[in-house]
Structures are given as C-alpha cells and as structure tokens.
C-alpha cells in the first residue's frame, strides 16, 4: 500500500480533525463501508469489499475500473489484442514505483507472476487459469498469453487483487494514511504517476476518510451527517436503510450480477439425494420471496448462470416452467414424505446459516414457510461450518458463465460439488472455438443443476446511501465504486 511519510501523516491527521463533517461538498468526503472491524486489513489476497476499494485506490493494476464499472487504462496506458485473442500486449506508462525507481516491464512481469502463484486455490485464480505466460518484451511492453480466448481478461486484470505492489507499496492513484478508526486518502498529483500535469490540482481534489462500521452504526452515521456515502449494503441489512435514511439521502441500488441462493454443504440424511435437494429448490416461491423488501426490477431465477450472458447458447432454460407452484410443491412433498416413511425416527429438518441482520430474519421466515409447505422444518444455524445450507450472496467479477461455474469448483471446498462439471470447465480452457467453449459451459451448468448442490434464487442485492452533493458515484453491475472519482470536485 502507498503510505505517506511521517510529516504527511501528522498533517493528514490534523486535517482530519479540522475537516469535521463534510456534508459531501467540503474538503472531505466521509465514506463508510458496512462490515466488521479489521476489514480494511490489506495483508493477503482475500480482501473484503472495503479492503478491495482501499487496495484499488493505493495500488493500480495494468488496468482499472471507473465509476461506471468500465475498464480504463492504469499502469498500462494502452494495449492491443491479437486477432486470435490469445495475446494481450500492454504498453506501460512512464511512471515510477513508490521509491522513485522507474517501472519496467520486468518488474510488472515478476509481480504478475507472483500474484498468479498466490491466487492458486482461489476462485479468482481459476478465472485466470487460461493465462499461460507473462513476459516482458521491451522496457515498457509486456505480453500476456492465453491458452484460449478470454474476452473478459481486461475485466479480471482490473480486479483490486491484481493491483501492482512492490515491497507492499503500490502506485496510487491515491496516498493512504492510517489514522484513528480508518484511513485518510488523498489523490496523488498526476505528474507523479506519469500523467500530464493538471493545473490547480489541489483546488480540484478532496480527501476521502474511509472507515468500516456495522450496518446499524453506518446508517446512524449517515442520518447524523457524519457519513456522506455508505457502501456495501446487502439484503441482510436493507431494512435499516428505510429507517430515516430516505429523508436525508438516497438509497441507490446496483443492478448487480452474481449469485444469490443456497449452497448445500451437507451430503447426509435428507440432503444425501439429488432428488430431495431438488424438492427444496422446487418449494421456493421465488417471485414472492423478496416481496416484503419492495425491490423494483429484481428478477428471480432457477438458473445457476445468469441468463443472457455471452457464451450462453440458450440450451439451458428456467427449471420447472411447465409446472405451477402447487404442482411443484406437491411433487416435492411426496419425495420428502417417502424419505420420512422409509425409516422410523426420521425427521425432515435442515439448518440454514444466514448473516445477521433484519433482512436475513425476513428471508429466513419466508424460506421456512416455503419449506414447511413440503413438510420440511428449517432451523437457523449461526455457524456456517455446521449448517446444512449456507446463503451464497456474491457479486460477479465479470459477466461470463465461467465466473459462475468456477464458484462451485471442487478445489474450493465450499460445499457439495460435481467433478463432472469441473471437467467440462477444464476442457473449455483449451477450446479455441467459441461455440464449442459455450457448449462445454452449458454442459457444466446442466451437471450442476441436475445435482442440485446449489439452489438459485436470483441476483444479489447491493445498496448504498448517497448524500446529495456527493459526486463521482454511479451504480454499476459490479458493485465497485472507486474512491478517486469521489475525491474529484465537480468542474
């Protein structure tokens, strides 16, 4: 992370004390992430949403994401892609590391190779499995070669975990100072990052004070004027946004892409058979499940991969579309009753782990009613490691079937999995033909769906509180809200 020297630390701390509440239009923007203490920790690669945003602000990668979620140049000023889609060639801008040494292609190559090694065993590592070679071509040119085309490579390279750091220090675009209860961030002058100088730079920027609070405290801080922007709201805490916040700001919903459903962790008892796991999936009244939350535009789905993505050849449909809810539940109830009657003492009961929050309480009540309709009792379990089912609530890194399928890879040990689906995804690593690759992804999704190791519900919910006067915030499907645009005053 790029940190300031001791004198700057003292000045930044003083500025923090003097700035007070900014109201979104002063010299500072107060940004609060919903989360728990320690989520701004920057060691390792498994970062919280707050940690991802801090990393992105202090350690750019070859490319980055802008406020709208689009890919923009960062350490690489431009790039070309070969016609076969197997080679991405980046030209680095003329910039320096934190210690003043010029950034060379060899440095970037070595850092990217190290990051790829560290990412092994993670879902992001699986997303990058098509990278076969990273090499330095000349002093400021680097090439990334692939085993087969990966149209979303730039989107993946823009992820905060791919930010370039040396000896723990990144290259901006912001300087972060550790202060009490959070971090103070200030935009770096463009000329220090190899970009053209901007006249009257200091008059065009504001500081960002970044901290993490539990959901109720974050909303209270917003209502009290002590926060200008609250990020990382989920369904678990959405009801809190209705308590006073609407009178002082705006609740903004990202049309997020990703997974929202139940992952089966236990393969014993009632859940040992795919047909009985399907019974639980059939019991859910998806259109009505989130009705109490009054979320406009939310679309439920029974598919694992979000419909309509590139590489979706249209062979996978919504499940049980020819059956009414009553017919689905009747079939599901007979399967459950058959299992219960098969042996004395059997009880149709499963446990579910949900994050704490009033939204989770409402979701649990709805699911418990749905499962009761087929003769299954649902109990709440606090420890996900001990639960039969766990909620998956995850925003996609990029919009392709591969991301969705990689979340259920057996190597990640996240619950029941399907080796046959993994095998199809592995085959797609070397598939050069677009249609063949898409067909392999469809086969993998079909294998996962038939096994019912995951019960899809719909897209994830992400919300923010944005005070009037805050510039640089835009909704986007990745739930990424870069800090640098928030620090720029309107021209």
């Amino acid at each position: 992370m790029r940190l300031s020297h001791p004198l700057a630390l003292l000045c930044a701390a003083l500025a923090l004390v003097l700035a007070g509440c900014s109201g979104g239009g002063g010299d500072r923007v107060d940004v609060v992430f919903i989360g728990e203490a320690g989520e701004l920790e920057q060691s390792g690669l498994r970062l919280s949403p707050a940690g991802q945003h801090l990393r992105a602000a202090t350690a750019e990668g070859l490319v980055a994401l802008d406020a709208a979620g689009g890919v923009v140049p960062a350490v690489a000023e431009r790039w070309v892609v070969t016609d076969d889609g197997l080679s991405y060639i980046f030209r680095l801008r003329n910039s320096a590391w934190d210690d003043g040494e010029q950034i060379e292609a060899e440095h970037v190559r070595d850092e990217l190779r190290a990051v790829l090694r560290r990412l092994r065993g993670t879902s992001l590592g699986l997303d990058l499995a098509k990278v076969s070679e990273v090499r330095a071509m000349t002093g400021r040119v680097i090439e990334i070669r692939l085993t087969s085309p990966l149209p979303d490579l730039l989107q993946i390279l823009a992820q905060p975990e791919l930010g370039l750091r040396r000896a723990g220090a990144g290259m901006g675009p912001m300087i972060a100072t550790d202060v009490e209860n959070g971090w103070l961030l200030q935009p770096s002058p463009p000329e220090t990052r190899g970009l053209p100088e901007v006249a009257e730079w200091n008059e065009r920027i504001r500081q960002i004070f970044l901290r993490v609070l539990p959901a109720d405290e974050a909303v209270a801080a917003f209502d009290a004027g002590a926060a200008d922007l609250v990020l990382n709201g989920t369904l678990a805490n959405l009801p809190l946004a209705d308590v006073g916040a609407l009178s002082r700001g705006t609740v903004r919903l990202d049309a997020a892409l990703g997974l929202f459903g139940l992952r089966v962790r236990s393969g014993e008892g009632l859940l040992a058979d795919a047909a009985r796991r399907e019974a639980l999936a059939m019991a859910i009244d998806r259109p009505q499940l989130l009705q109490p939350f009054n979320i406009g535009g939310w679309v439920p789905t029974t598919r694992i991969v979000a419909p309509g993505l590139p590489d979706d050849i249209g062979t996978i449909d919504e499940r049980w579309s020819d059956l009414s809810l009553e017919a689905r539940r009747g079939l599901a109830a007979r399967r459950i009753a058959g299992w219960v009657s098969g042996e004395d003492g059997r009880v149709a009961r499963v446990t579910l782990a949900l994050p704490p929050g009033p939204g989770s309480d409402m979701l649990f009540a709805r699911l418990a009613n749905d499962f009761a309709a087929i003769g299954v009792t649902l109990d709440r379990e606090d420890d996900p490691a001990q639960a039969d089912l766990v909620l998956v609530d995850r925003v996609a890194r990029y919009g392709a079937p591969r991301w969705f399928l990689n979340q259920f890879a057996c190597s990640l040990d996240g619950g029941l999995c399907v080796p046959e689906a993994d095998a199809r995804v592995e085959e797609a690593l070397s598939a050069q033909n677009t249609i063949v690759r898409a067909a392999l992804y469809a086969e993998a999704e079909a294998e996962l769906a038939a096994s019912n190791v995951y019960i899809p519900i719909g897209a994830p919910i992400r919300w923010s509180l944005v005070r009037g006067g805050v510039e640089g915030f835009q909704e986007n499907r990745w739930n990424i809200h870069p800090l640098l645009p928030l620090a720029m005053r309107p021209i």
Side-chain angles (χ1 to χ4, degrees):
M1 180 178 300
R2 192 175 183 189
L3 301 178
S4 52
H5 54 70
L7 179 59
L9 175 62
L10 178 61
C11 293
L14 180 61
L16 179 60
V17 173
L18 296 177
C21 296
S22 69
D27 293 330
R28 195 184 82 204
V29 180
D30 290 290
V31 179
V32 175
F33 271 84
I34 293 176
E36 300 299 328
E39 289 192 6
L40 284 172
E41 171 62 44
Q42 288 291 287
S43 62
L45 287 168
R46 298 177 186 273
L47 303 175
S48 69
Q52 289 178 329
H53 283 71
L54 181 57
R55 174 74 63 82
T58 56
E60 287 184 308
L62 288 172
V63 292
L65 296 178
D66 64 12
V71 175
V72 294
V75 174
E77 61 185 5
R78 59 182 181 272
W79 55 86
V80 295
V81 184
T82 55
D83 291 341
D84 60 8
L86 298 179
S87 175
Y88 285 66
I89 301 170
F90 299 86
R91 181 169 181 81
L92 309 180
R93 69 175 186 237
N94 185 18
S95 55
W97 294 101
D98 192 60
D99 60 7
E101 183 180 358
Q102 286 295 112
I103 297 173
E104 302 287 347
E106 290 84 356
H107 301 154
V108 175
R109 174 202 62 198
D110 293 346
E111 176 59 22
L112 282 177
R113 287 176 175 176
V115 171
L116 290 173
R117 287 193 298 270
R118 293 196 296 270
L119 283 171
R120 289 171 185 166
T122 70
S123 60
L124 186 53
L126 294 175
D127 296 335
L128 288 162
K130 288 189 178 188
V131 174
S132 62
E133 185 181 5
V134 181
R135 68 189 190 100
M137 299 179 71
T138 66
R140 287 171 55 194
V141 177
I142 189 167
E143 180 187 27
I144 297 179
R145 295 198 61 81
L146 307 172
T147 58
S148 67
L150 180 57
D152 298 285
L153 178 64
L154 294 175
Q155 180 83 19
I156 301 173
L157 291 176
Q159 299 304 309
E161 291 83 351
L162 275 294
L164 299 172
R165 302 195 298 171
R166 190 166 70 160
M171 298 169 292
M174 306 185 80
I175 298 173
T177 304
D178 191 357
V179 297
E180 186 177 1
N181 298 323
W183 289 86
L184 194 66
L185 295 101
Q186 179 149 331
S188 300
E191 62 270 19
T192 67
R193 300 166 48 226
L195 298 170
E197 185 175 350
V198 174
E200 300 179 340
W201 173 253
N202 289 333
E203 286 70 42
R204 298 186 61 180
I205 62 172
R206 297 179 288 191
Q207 294 177 322
I208 299 288
F209 178 44
L210 178 66
R211 54 188 167 142
V212 175
L213 293 174
D216 55 346
E217 295 181 27
V219 173
F222 186 86
D223 285 340
D228 302 310
L229 180 63
V230 174
L231 300 172
N232 197 42
T234 67
L235 189 77
N237 42 55
L238 178 58
L240 295 175
D242 292 330
V243 184
L246 284 173
S247 64
R248 288 183 166 86
T250 304
V251 179
R252 307 274 284 271
L253 287 171
D254 286 317
L257 182 71
L259 292 167
F260 185 78
L262 309 180
R263 181 77 184 269
V264 181
R265 289 190 56 86
S266 171
E268 301 179 352
L270 177 67
L271 299 176
D273 180 72
R276 293 193 296 272
R277 298 194 293 267
E278 183 186 31
L280 297 182
M282 290 192 293
I284 299 174
D285 185 357
R286 287 167 180 80
Q288 294 298 313
L289 189 65
L290 300 192
Q291 188 273 334
F293 296 91
N294 193 29
I295 303 171
W298 182 79
V299 180
T301 185
T302 59
R303 287 192 57 183
I304 297 168
V305 174
L309 296 179
D311 279 343
D312 183 350
I313 57 177
T315 58
I316 306 293
D317 296 322
E318 294 289 334
R319 304 180 72 183
W320 318 299
S321 57
D322 58 335
L323 296 176
S324 66
L325 177 63
E326 292 72 20
R328 292 202 324 257
R329 285 180 170 175
L331 176 58
R334 290 191 291 274
R335 291 181 186 176
I336 299 302
W339 178 78
V340 170
S341 64
E343 184 176 311
D344 289 343
R346 277 182 176 169
V347 177
R349 183 184 301 272
V350 294
T351 58
L352 170 63
L354 295 171
S360 290
D361 298 340
M362 295 164 63
L363 177 63
F364 178 82
R366 286 273 172 158
L367 288 170
N369 285 336
D370 286 348
F371 286 180
I374 64 168
V376 175
T377 299
L378 184 66
D379 291 327
R380 188 89 173 256
E381 170 60 57
D382 293 333
D383 183 1
Q386 301 300 318
D388 299 319
L389 305 169
V390 295
L391 180 70
V392 176
D393 185 2
R394 197 171 302 156
V395 178
R397 302 271 193 165
Y398 57 98
R402 183 174 181 81
W403 180 86
F404 290 83
L405 300 171
N406 280 344
Q407 306 311 301
F408 303 98
C410 294
S411 61
L412 301 181
D413 195 27
L416 296 191
C417 66
V418 183
E420 294 81 3
D422 286 359
R424 301 292 83 74
V425 176
E426 182 73 18
E427 285 182 54
L429 283 177
S430 57
Q432 305 298 318
N433 184 280
T434 302
I435 299 300
V436 171
R437 188 168 61 247
L440 288 168
Y441 290 147
E443 289 179 28
E445 183 182 359
E447 294 277 6
L448 283 169
S451 71
N452 295 288
V453 298
Y454 174 68
I455 300 173
I457 294 175
I461 304 299
R462 292 295 182 271
W463 59 270
S464 306
L465 297 178
V466 185
R467 191 174 305 286
V470 170
E471 301 287 340
F473 174 92
Q474 293 186 51
E475 298 95 341
N476 62 77
R477 69 196 316 203
W478 317 118
N479 189 228
I480 292 289
H481 302 290
L483 300 178
L484 180 62
L486 299 171
M488 305 307 297
R489 296 181 188 276
I491 298 175

